[in-house]
Amino acid sequence: MRSVYKAHINENTGAIQTVEEHSKNTADLCRQFAIPVLKNLAHNVGLLHDIGKFQEDFQRRIDGENIKVEHSTCGALVAKELYPDAAIALMMEYCIAGHHSGIPDGGYKNDTSDMTTLSGRLKRNFEDYSAYKEGIELLEINRNEILSFLMQDCGKNIEILVDKFAFLTRYVFSCLVDADSIDTARFCNGDKIRPLTADFHACLEKVNSKLSSFVCTTPLQKTRALLQQQVFDKTDINGEIYLMNMPTGSGKTLCSVKFALERAIKAGKKRIVYIIPYNSIIDQTMVVFEEMFGSDAEILRHQSTFSYEENDYAEDYLRAAKSAAENWDVESIIVTTAVQFFESVYANKRGKLRKMHNMADSILIFDEAHLMPQNYLQPCLRVITYITKYLNSEAVFLTATMPDFPKLLRQYALENSQIIDLIDNTSMFCAFQKCKYQLLGKLRAESLLEKSMNYPSSLIIVNKKKSAKKLFELCGGKKFHLSTYMTAYDREIIIREIRDELKQLEIDFPDYKDVPQDRRITIISTSLIEAGVDLDIYTVFRELSGLDSILQAGGRCNREGKRTQAEVYIFEFDDENRTLQDMKSNITSGILDKYEDISCPESIKEYYARLFFTKSDALKGKTITRNCSDISCIPFAEYARDFELIDSGTISLVVPRDEQSREIIDSLRFTGGDLGIARRLQKYTCSIYQKELDDLIRQHVVDDFGTGILCLTNTDYYDENTGVTFEAKDYFVC
């Protein structure tokens, strides 16, 4: 038997960290991260995770021999042997066996040892690793306490029990892999990077100062202050999920920030996490936060389209932020996307799940909460109730079009969540109705454009990218186009140009009278403009769609309320027939027939009631337990692979748009792609469908250089105003 069993060797110094040292360090961190009821279990998971390194072959491998040695399953075998309670043993087995490759599928009893399921792996044979017993002493686990905690709130519902078990397993796994990563980095690299921090008291003072600077003289301003006060009066109420239903123009962002800071201070929370549906909204939110908080808050921005390397940050902050993006270990504010948040809690790999345990002790703000993906609504709502009920966090659902979340949460998540409605009096909402919604019926494209040109500025929002492109080509005068055929890089430029033109138009024509034809502005867009793009348009035209989309479109019309009334026109193209599958449009059509004011709370409530009733099967069809009724066979890996919140029907295509993007694309030819390069290219991507990609491939204008990152190699197939095209520009040779 060896005297020293190595876990890691520092390549710079040659220092050795023993398996015993690494195991104990990991266990201590794992225990520190875990909630009280799971601390001893998490500690033991940390102690056992690397005991397979006591195998002689592993020691030969770490000494330089080129051999493959599996070590992760050994600790799982010990857990199975030591703990007779299946729930406790299985939770430890899943975590330990998966701490490198990801939590495996549970599998079935007849699985063989060559299979990658937990059941199959536990049938494999290993060298003797019993030397772990010499220096590793496990803590006693209170089985009754853990089993009671697991059964809590489940009643006799086996589906919820299995689902909750899966959630807690991913949570313990998160504690383990973060602890493992931290201790390894500290030993191998000497990494002791400070966390990002914020002074919540100072931030609150700045928010209060900002709010108090607003002069409430008009009826609308006074109503806004009264509506916000309803929220502020409830900061002392302890709850799990808070509903902040506030109409467009009522100051939702500032109101939610103040509420979050108040709750974080009073309830002793470590961080505030803003979860936002679109990257474009993050851009605006970050500008507001950074300008308001300054040095009082080191904000972590975590989104796929943002790269810290490309921005001018101080080295100290840059190191801390890049580290925090790995595990969300901050005592500050995090701004991220809904995709990042939900795919992190339903992943099975260590890279994504590592941050999950740091969603505890937090205030979670779900901005535009109505946009939670409906096909995954049940798992999304369930994980929010688990985090708020079991991990000492609180959530705020923020939206101007609030579904009946209390009913949805009790029907699809947990029945006894503590839900607090922050807005009691919705009668004030009528003060924020700055536009009237009118149904135009069916129109030809030419008639639609002719009507839109009667206004100083108009926004036409359509359902399809091809429709937007066609309208833009038909349109005359000062015109702009926005769709995901364009890269984010170009959309940002166009939006800045639109803002500049609108601002100049108001300066030159403050009463908007007698605006000449050549100064009238027409913006043609898909739905991407509806949330998070702050534009104030004179008149809006919206193709028939879901009521939430129409009301969001209305939020761009007369946004500042400078006119007593404005119009949002709802239309359909006369050459398109609505199908039975166009569920949202059909429901909206019924709402339009019934309600004179489709923006009233009753209309919104009925729209969602009809929608969720119609989609009831789809809402509950995506849980991890849909094909599993036993904790021993949970399909962790399979479910993580299938869990996609973004429409997988579209494909990202990178387009070179400036010198930087051209250099990055050129580097792909020689160095290949990695996550860092993919992130740096995000703002240069547009979205196309598979058949459109096939068309471009047939024309030999797309290449991935063997990296999987698809790039447009002929820029004649891209127009900066309308985006990717599917045929080259014409050339005339004289």
Side-chain angles (χ1 to χ4, degrees):
M1 185 176 291
R2 288 175 178 251
S3 59
V4 175
Y5 288 88
K6 304 167 190 173
H8 303 109
I9 299 175
N10 188 309
E11 292 182 357
N12 297 318
T13 66
I16 293 171
Q17 184 184 44
T18 67
V19 180
E20 182 179 335
E21 289 168 344
H22 174 60
S23 298
K24 289 180 177 178
N25 291 344
T26 301
D28 289 342
L29 285 171
C30 209
R31 177 183 174 81
Q32 176 186 319
F33 296 155
I35 57 176
V37 68
L38 295 175
K39 281 190 178 297
N40 281 14
L41 184 147
H43 182 93
N44 287 358
V45 165
L47 285 176
L48 293 174
H49 83 287
D50 263 359
I51 63 171
K53 291 183 177 180
F54 282 97
Q55 296 176 95
E56 187 62 30
D57 276 355
F58 187 90
Q59 292 302 304
R60 289 167 49 213
R61 178 181 180 276
I62 206 169
D63 284 335
E65 287 194 39
N66 186 21
I67 55 175
K68 289 184 67 175
V69 184
E70 179 182 350
H71 74 276
S72 300
T73 305
C74 299
L77 284 165
V78 171
K80 181 178 183 180
E81 176 187 341
L82 293 180
Y83 299 101
D85 290 298
I88 292 173
L90 275 168
M91 188 175 292
M92 298 176 71
E93 291 165 31
Y94 278 121
C95 294
I96 296 168
H99 79 270
H100 277 293
S101 57
I103 310 177
D105 292 333
Y108 301 95
K109 290 182 179 179
N110 60 350
D111 288 353
T112 55
S113 61
D114 60 325
M115 300 174 71
T116 59
T117 62
L118 179 64
S119 178
R121 288 173 61 177
L122 291 174
K123 293 175 181 175
R124 296 175 185 174
N125 296 316
F126 297 91
E127 282 187 287
D128 178 34
Y129 50 85
S130 61
Y132 85 88
K133 298 177 182 178
E134 296 297 320
I136 291 178
E137 186 175 345
L138 300 173
L139 298 180
E140 183 178 347
I141 294 177
N142 188 329
R143 58 178 297 276
N144 291 331
E145 183 183 24
I146 291 178
L147 294 177
S148 176
F149 174 68
L150 181 59
M151 296 294 294
Q152 178 186 328
D153 306 309
C154 297
K156 296 181 180 179
N157 190 325
I158 187 65
E159 180 194 350
I160 292 181
L161 176 64
V162 174
D163 195 74
K164 181 180 175 182
F165 176 87
F167 166 79
L168 293 174
T169 299
R170 289 191 296 268
Y171 171 75
V172 174
F173 180 85
S174 174
C175 295
L176 170 63
V177 296
D178 193 30
D180 184 22
S181 298
I182 289 172
D183 184 63
T184 301
R186 285 176 180 174
F187 175 77
C188 294
N189 307 320
D191 285 350
K192 274 202 172 182
I193 301 171
R194 67 173 182 83
L196 298 180
T197 60
D199 184 337
F200 286 161
H201 289 89
C203 289
L204 181 58
E205 286 182 11
K206 288 186 173 179
V207 174
N208 288 336
S209 177
K210 181 85 170 177
L211 288 167
S212 63
S213 70
F214 298 135
V215 179
C216 297
T217 55
T218 68
L220 180 63
Q221 291 167 342
K222 292 176 181 177
T223 303
R224 181 185 292 120
L226 289 172
L227 189 65
Q228 291 175 351
Q229 194 59 47
Q230 289 190 55
V231 174
F232 304 151
D233 288 343
K234 297 180 178 66
T235 56
D236 287 327
I237 300 177
N238 294 324
E240 292 167 0
I241 298 172
Y242 300 86
L243 306 180
M244 193 180 295
N245 182 18
M246 297 177 67
T248 301
S250 58
K252 295 191 298 293
T253 299
L254 271 180
C255 188
S256 66
V257 170
K258 176 175 166 62
F259 182 82
L261 287 166
E262 294 267 17
R263 287 302 305 162
I265 292 168
K266 290 175 181 179
K269 306 303 183 188
K270 293 180 180 179
R271 62 193 67 84
I272 296 170
V273 187
Y274 255 79
I275 300 113
I276 296 176
Y278 301 128
N279 284 308
S280 59
I281 309 180
I282 289 185
D283 297 337
Q284 293 184 169
T285 303
M286 284 298 299
V287 170
V288 172
F289 287 177
E290 288 175 342
E291 289 180 352
M292 183 163 54
F293 297 139
S295 61
D296 288 323
E298 295 180 308
I299 302 172
L300 174 64
R301 180 174 181 172
H302 195 187
Q303 63 185 119
S304 62
T305 56
F306 181 77
S307 174
Y308 276 100
E309 288 85 350
E310 295 179 17
N311 291 270
D312 186 21
Y313 291 108
E315 183 62 29
D316 178 58
Y317 169 79
L318 185 61
R319 289 185 73 239
K322 289 172 69 174
S323 175
E326 299 292 327
N327 64 353
W328 285 9
D329 181 18
V330 307
E331 296 183 7
S332 181
I333 299 170
I334 300 171
V335 181
T336 190
T337 62
V339 170
Q340 181 74 245
F341 182 87
F342 288 117
E343 289 190 354
S344 292
V345 293
Y346 279 111
N348 78 310
K349 299 291 187 181
R350 62 186 289 149
K352 286 191 174 182
L353 273 177
R354 185 179 168 187
K355 64 181 77 73
M356 180 184 174
H357 74 94
N358 279 323
M359 295 174 185
D361 301 308
S362 303
I363 304 292
L364 311 174
I365 309 289
F366 291 90
D367 194 14
E368 306 293 356
H370 67 283
L371 292 175
M372 286 187 198
Q374 290 176 8
N375 286 344
Y376 285 92
L377 188 62
Q378 183 164 33
C380 289
L381 292 180
R382 275 195 180 168
V383 82
I384 293 169
T385 58
Y386 295 155
I387 292 171
T388 54
K389 187 172 285 293
Y390 307 127
L391 303 189
N392 193 38
S393 289
E394 298 173 4
V396 180
F397 289 5
L398 175 65
T399 179
T401 52
M402 183 75 75
D404 189 350
F405 274 121
K407 180 179 179 181
L408 292 169
L409 285 161
R410 294 186 174 108
Q411 183 174 358
Y412 296 115
L414 291 178
E415 293 182 356
N416 61 346
S417 288
Q418 296 176 13
I419 305 168
I420 309 296
D421 200 333
L422 297 174
I423 301 295
D424 300 317
N425 182 5
T426 60
S427 64
M428 300 181 189
F429 286 15
C430 60
F432 298 92
Q433 294 172 357
K434 295 167 289 188
C435 55
K436 184 178 181 181
Y437 295 84
Q438 298 184 41
L439 183 62
L440 287 180
K442 293 199 172 189
L443 292 175
R444 293 176 64 244
E446 293 81 0
S447 300
L448 174 64
L449 289 170
E450 183 180 350
K451 184 172 179 61
S452 73
M453 287 300 294
N454 292 326
Y455 302 97
S457 65
S458 60
L459 168 63
I460 303 173
I461 304 177
V462 295
N463 296 333
K464 297 178 181 178
K465 291 186 283 188
K466 288 186 176 179
S467 299
K469 195 169 184 178
K470 176 184 175 183
L471 281 175
F472 181 79
E473 290 167 350
L474 290 172
C475 185
K478 194 175 291 294
K479 60 182 181 178
F480 299 93
H481 168 275
L482 291 167
S483 84
T484 54
Y485 274 150
M486 304 164 65
T487 66
Y489 172 88
D490 284 308
R491 295 200 304 267
E492 289 174 9
I493 293 173
I494 295 293
I495 289 170
R496 285 197 297 269
E497 291 178 359
I498 292 170
R499 288 198 174 107
D500 291 342
E501 288 289 345
L502 290 171
K503 184 178 180 180
Q504 193 61 48
L505 185 70
E506 185 177 4
I507 292 171
D508 295 344
F509 303 93
D511 57 1
Y512 291 111
K513 290 183 179 178
D514 301 320
V515 178
Q517 284 286 338
D518 64 346
R519 292 294 306 278
R520 296 181 187 182
I521 300 167
T522 306
I523 306 157
I524 300 166
S525 177
T526 56
S527 61
L528 65 85
I529 202 170
E530 288 173 350
V533 181
D534 291 340
L535 298 174
D536 190 355
I537 312 295
Y538 196 91
T539 300
V540 170
F541 297 81
R542 181 56 169 98
E543 186 178 359
L544 184 65
S545 182
L547 181 64
D548 53 337
S549 293
I550 292 172
L551 296 180
Q552 287 287 347
R556 311 313 110 193
C557 181
N558 192 24
R559 187 171 180 84
E560 301 303 322
K562 295 175 181 177
R563 291 174 289 135
T564 55
Q565 193 60 269
E567 293 79 28
V568 175
Y569 294 107
I570 304 162
F571 69 92
E572 293 181 82
F573 287 113
D574 68 348
D575 58 349
E576 291 187 13
N577 293 317
R578 249 187 298 141
T579 65
L580 291 175
Q581 287 73 34
D582 192 5
M583 186 185 302
K584 288 187 174 183
S585 295
N586 287 321
I587 295 172
T588 301
S589 185
I591 296 294
L592 285 163
D593 290 338
K594 182 173 181 179
Y595 291 91
E596 182 177 350
D597 175 19
I598 61 171
S599 67
C600 68
E602 294 77 17
S603 168
I604 295 169
K605 184 176 181 180
E606 182 169 340
Y607 168 76
Y608 281 116
R610 292 190 191 185
L611 179 65
F612 291 141
F613 175 78
T614 307
K615 296 189 69 172
S616 59
D617 289 340
L619 294 181
K620 58 187 179 182
K622 295 283 191 176
T623 63
I624 198 170
T625 55
R626 66 189 187 277
N627 296 318
C628 165
S629 59
D630 191 293
I631 59 175
S632 67
C633 57
I634 299 175
F636 284 104
E638 178 187 349
Y639 188 74
R641 285 193 299 270
D642 294 341
F643 193 88
E644 292 184 350
L645 300 186
I646 296 178
D647 180 11
S648 59
T650 60
I651 296 162
S652 293
L653 177 67
V654 178
V655 181
R657 296 298 301 131
D658 59 10
E659 189 60 34
Q660 178 174 278
S661 58
R662 283 188 285 272
E663 288 178 359
I664 298 172
I665 292 170
D666 284 343
S667 73
L668 291 176
R669 302 173 188 265
F670 308 106
T671 62
D674 58 30
L675 182 60
I677 287 181
R679 186 177 289 119
R680 291 172 64 195
L681 286 170
Q682 277 290 331
K683 69 177 181 179
Y684 302 107
T685 63
C686 59
S687 297
I688 59 175
Y689 295 102
Q690 181 65 53
K691 64 180 181 180
E692 295 171 334
L693 173 64
D694 294 340
D695 186 15
L696 293 174
I697 290 173
R698 279 194 295 270
Q699 298 182 68
H700 306 289
V701 295
V702 171
D703 199 337
D704 71 350
F705 314 113
T707 67
I709 300 174
L710 295 163
C711 301
L712 189 69
T713 56
N714 186 338
T715 54
D716 289 337
Y717 285 76
Y718 188 85
D719 184 286
E720 63 184 12
N721 294 307
T722 58
V724 66
T725 62
F726 301 98
E727 56 185 30
K729 299 171 185 174
D730 291 330
Y731 288 92
F732 296 90
V733 180
C734 298

